Amino acid sequence: MGEISSPASTAISAPPSPLPDSAPRTPRSPLASRLMTPIVSPMKKAIASVHGYLEEVGQFTKLDPQDAWLPITESRNGNAYYSAFHTLSSGIGVQALVLPLAFTTLGWIWGIICLLLVFIWQLYTLWLLIQLHESESGTRCSRYLRLSMAAFGEKRGKLLALFPIMYLSGGTCVILVMIGGGTLKTFFEIVCGASETCNVTRLTTVEWYLVFICAAVVLAQLPNLNSIAGVSLIGAITAVSYCTVIWVVSVIKDRPVGVSYEPVTEISDVATIFSILNSLGIIAFAFRGHNLVLEVQGTMPSTAKKPSRIPMWRGVKFAYLIIAMCLFPLAIGGYSAYGNLMPGNEGMFDALHKYHNHDTSKVLLGLTSLFVLISSLSSFQIFAMPVFDNLEFKYTSKYNKPCPWWLRSGIRVFFGSVEFFISAALPFLRNLAALIGGIALPITLAYPCFMWIHIRKPTTYSAIWGLNWALGILGMVLSILVVIGATWSLATMGIEFHFFKAQ
């Protein structure tokens, strides 16, 4: 997508009071009082009003005019509800449906332990990011890359965070196109029927991708992040719905013949280790959205008495309670229902159609596909927003004015075209869930810990200092090992690198 540039942060400083208490007072004569009262009284009222406002707010924000031109910070009237909507929409996705695959290698006990530990770990780093959004000096970092540059320096910050952020934004959108297009095709087959009696022209998979991306581009014309809060709410509701329907149906239906819960046995100890690492990558990929939390928080107003971290954390806590209620039953219930028979690709969604297509209502199957489709459309909007923001930033930086409406629309159509081309040309990308999880792991588990140390500078050898160093180093080591394990699994198990041949 090109190099990301981040707009200037919003600077906040606390100016001295315009009414110093210790200032000497000039004696006033009756004549001066009578002459100056018509002018001085309004001025005194104005100054007193400003003084009261500064005492109430405690901060004076010098807004960068360019922030008001960009999609992420164009509107700053967000709240805890918007935070919950965006977090749910970005945090729950079809990547959660492959969680039972990790259990086929880790088994019951270690699968649950690893899932619980990663959940707590990523929730802690999410809290760190929310706290770091506003520095002690008042600077707001409304983009992940900006915070990385503030913590590690401009060059090092870009080097560390640029590729993973773009991989998460652009790569996730490509996978959403594939999933959304494929689900559209499944929904059509359920509604129209698998027989030849349906006279409607059947589209190819790539044509369904095109239908999906056209719908996504139309929705992308909404101007800014706050304007898609309603879209995120609908996406969150549908994501929770299809997760619940899939695991409930899978659990209550009869298990397929030949289900086994014994961990998969590899041909060697090395193969077992790499298989475990690949499973950890799948678990890591299930938790997404850390690259968007600062952007969502940047849409909120912030004062000294009411900093943005309070409503942001309130919304995130509620959202992650719902996420836990979706992900843990999916992983445990899915493995209980299908065991080692769990198919790859879309995991439980494929398993539902493979094993229960004959004994499940077509209405329920169609409704589940519709929920997946709507959730994918909604998630596309929020993951694409940082790309829109960066492309518009390049224009506003060069011409010092906001993008005209036709250019803003053109940027979003262009991005949609690129995503469609990649999804049609490289259809095998959807099989790289573990590899994507490993590459994005530092964004979620490691970088926030190092950022906290560099920015907040906790006391050396204190508990918080040691905890963040330990988690940061462990996150980086785990990322490297997961990437190696995922690459090894792809090399040994094989993957069909078919170009321009979407199945």
Side-chain angles (χ1 to χ4, degrees):
M1 301 294 169
E3 181 175 300
I4 289 188
S5 303
S6 292
S9 300
T10 304
I12 303 175
S13 58
S17 169
L19 294 177
D21 295 333
S22 60
R25 301 182 181 276
T26 303
R28 290 190 296 174
S29 67
L31 179 61
S33 178
R34 287 195 297 271
L35 290 176
M36 297 181 64
T37 295
I39 300 177
V40 173
S41 293
M43 287 293 294
K44 287 175 64 179
K45 291 180 180 179
I47 293 175
S49 177
V50 171
H51 178 61
Y53 173 78
L54 290 175
E55 285 185 339
E56 178 184 356
V57 172
Q59 292 177 325
F60 184 75
T61 303
K62 297 179 180 178
L63 297 175
D64 184 354
Q66 194 173 6
D67 273 353
W69 300 337
L70 299 175
I72 289 176
T73 49
E74 187 176 63
S75 171
R76 289 188 184 271
N77 61 351
N79 51 49
Y81 297 104
Y82 287 11
S83 166
F85 300 161
H86 292 313
T87 303
L88 278 170
S89 182
S90 61
I92 302 179
V94 291
Q95 81 283 352
L97 299 179
V98 299
L99 274 174
L101 281 174
F103 280 56
T104 60
T105 299
L106 299 174
W108 279 113
I109 297 177
W110 283 109
I112 295 174
I113 290 174
C114 291
L115 183 60
L116 181 61
L117 289 178
V118 173
F119 178 81
I120 296 172
W121 187 353
Q122 61 85 34
L123 190 59
Y124 170 70
T125 57
L126 195 61
W127 178 82
L128 291 180
L129 290 174
I130 293 172
Q131 301 302 310
L132 291 173
H133 174 81
E134 294 168 323
S135 67
E136 294 179 356
S137 64
T139 302
R140 296 186 69 178
C141 294
S142 298
R143 292 148 184 92
Y144 196 105
L145 181 60
R146 183 65 188 179
L147 181 62
S148 177
M149 293 164 61
F152 307 128
E154 184 173 353
K155 292 183 178 179
R156 188 181 301 172
K158 284 185 178 181
L159 180 64
L160 291 174
L162 179 60
F163 178 73
I165 289 174
M166 285 309 303
Y167 201 90
L168 280 173
S169 294
T172 301
C173 286
V174 168
I175 293 176
L176 287 171
V177 172
M178 296 178 183
I179 292 170
T183 306
L184 259 174
K185 183 178 180 180
T186 302
F187 179 72
F188 174 81
E189 291 174 351
I190 293 173
V191 172
C192 191
S195 65
E196 298 296 332
T197 57
C198 184
N199 296 324
V200 180
T201 303
R202 298 177 184 271
L203 303 180
T204 65
T205 302
V206 173
E207 289 171 337
W208 283 118
Y209 290 174
L210 182 60
V211 173
F212 177 87
I213 200 63
C214 287
V217 169
V218 170
L219 269 180
Q221 300 308 314
L222 292 170
N224 53 61
L225 192 53
N226 271 340
S227 68
I228 66 171
V231 176
S232 292
L233 172 60
I234 295 173
I237 293 173
T238 53
V240 172
S241 298
Y242 76 69
C243 286
T244 304
V245 169
I246 290 176
W247 77 259
V248 168
V249 172
S250 298
V251 168
I252 64 176
K253 295 291 184 180
D254 294 333
R255 292 184 177 89
V257 178
V259 170
S260 172
Y261 303 107
E262 290 295 325
V264 177
T265 303
E266 301 292 345
I267 57 176
S268 65
D269 292 341
V270 175
T272 300
I273 293 174
F274 282 129
S275 183
I276 292 172
L277 294 175
N278 186 60
S279 298
L280 293 177
I282 292 175
I283 293 176
F285 185 56
F287 300 101
R288 64 183 191 181
H290 283 59
N291 60 312
L292 299 170
V293 62
L294 295 173
E295 284 78 352
V296 174
Q297 192 172 352
T299 66
M300 297 181 176
S302 185
T303 65
K305 290 190 174 181
K306 297 180 180 179
S308 62
R309 65 177 179 269
I310 295 176
M312 184 66 192
W313 181 238
R314 189 182 304 126
V316 166
K317 285 190 295 184
F318 173 78
Y320 267 84
L321 175 63
I322 304 299
I323 290 174
M325 293 171 61
C326 290
L327 265 57
F328 282 87
L330 269 175
I332 298 172
Y335 186 59
S336 173
Y338 305 114
N340 291 340
L341 298 180
M342 177 67 60
N345 294 333
E346 295 178 26
M348 289 190 67
F349 186 78
D350 285 347
L352 180 66
H353 286 267
K354 180 178 180 180
Y355 299 116
H356 299 297
N357 188 53
H358 64 284
D359 59 358
T360 304
S361 168
K362 297 296 181 184
V363 174
L364 190 60
L365 291 175
L367 197 60
T368 304
S369 298
L370 185 61
F371 287 157
V372 173
L373 169 63
I374 296 174
S375 175
S376 299
L377 277 172
S378 303
S379 297
F380 184 95
Q381 308 307 315
I382 191 169
F383 277 97
M385 194 60 70
V387 181
F388 300 156
D389 187 86
N390 177 66
L391 294 176
E392 291 190 28
F393 173 71
K394 294 182 181 297
Y395 176 89
T396 57
S397 298
K398 184 175 182 179
Y399 297 102
N400 196 29
K401 62 180 181 179
C403 284
W405 68 268
W406 57 267
L407 182 58
R408 171 171 281 188
S409 297
I411 287 173
R412 300 176 186 208
V413 172
F414 169 75
F415 175 75
S417 302
V418 172
E419 297 299 287
F420 168 72
F421 176 80
I422 295 175
S423 61
L426 309 174
F428 54 84
L429 289 179
R430 66 190 304 175
N431 299 320
L432 306 180
L435 184 60
I436 293 174
I439 293 176
L441 207 57
I443 294 289
T444 303
L445 301 181
Y447 291 167
C449 301
F450 294 136
M451 290 175 183
W452 180 271
I453 294 172
H454 280 273
I455 294 176
R456 293 298 174 90
K457 302 186 184 305
T459 304
T460 305
Y461 303 118
S462 63
I464 192 70
W465 181 89
L467 175 64
N468 283 295
W469 268 116
L471 291 179
I473 293 173
L474 181 60
M476 294 302 299
V477 172
L478 188 60
S479 174
I480 295 172
L481 293 177
V482 166
V483 170
I484 295 173
T487 305
W488 182 89
S489 296
L490 291 173
T492 55
M493 297 175 60
I495 181 174
E496 295 182 8
F497 290 96
H498 42 81
F499 300 90
F500 296 99
K501 292 181 180 180
Q503 302 297 321

